[in-house]
Amino acid sequence: MSSISSNVSFSSSELEMITSVLDRSGYGSDMLVQDPHLFNAAAFLVRKMFTAGVTSPHELSRQLDRQFGKASQNVQLYSSTHARFAIQGLPNTYPPATLKPV
């Protein structure tokens, strides 16, 4: 059984502070898209520390940096190894060269 109750409720000001801590450390909503597992781990750590009594935004940020490091802001979500024309099924010479009469 978990040592943290799942029925913990936070006030709106506490949620704003926790969200700002996650955002400043690079674990904001964009991290949820890029790496959901890392986002969940960071959010769980902040929640765990906050319910344990650590309410200083500076200390929460410091612990996030200590546990996970700064999150990378320059992660490209998707990069294709194929050329655009290969994906579309078009020939390499697209747009087609003008046809010369034979």
Side-chain angles (χ1 to χ4, degrees), residues 17 19-28 57-58 61 65 70 73:
M17 189 269 297
T19 303
S20 70
V21 166
L22 288 167
D23 286 341
R24 277 192 313 246
S25 295
Y27 298 97
H58 176 70
S61 293
D65 290 346
K70 277 285 189 194
Q73 298 295 326

Side-chain angles (χ1 to χ4, degrees), residues 11-66:
S11 70
S12 61
S13 62
E14 291 171 337
L15 282 175
E16 287 176 20
M17 189 269 297
I18 289 171
T19 303
S20 70
V21 166
L22 288 167
D23 286 341
R24 277 192 313 246
S25 295
Y27 298 97
S29 58
D30 56 334
M31 176 59 74
L32 181 58
V33 174
Q34 295 172 6
D35 191 350
H37 298 294
L38 186 57
F39 173 83
N40 289 338
F44 181 77
L45 176 66
V46 171
R47 177 179 174 245
K48 180 179 173 183
M49 290 187 321
F50 192 84
T51 56
V54 180
T55 58
S56 165
H58 176 70
E59 182 61 25
L60 291 170
S61 293
R62 193 175 73 76
Q63 288 298 324
L64 267 177
D65 290 346
R66 184 172 161 253

Side-chain angles (χ1 to χ4, degrees), residues 91 93-102:
T93 59
Y94 193 80
T98 55
L99 297 175
K100 296 180 182 177
V102 180

Side-chain angles (χ1 to χ4, degrees), residues 5 10 12 28 33 62-63 67-68 78:
S5 172
F10 299 107
S12 61
V33 174
R62 193 175 73 76
Q63 288 298 324
Q67 291 291 321
F68 302 112
Y78 176 74

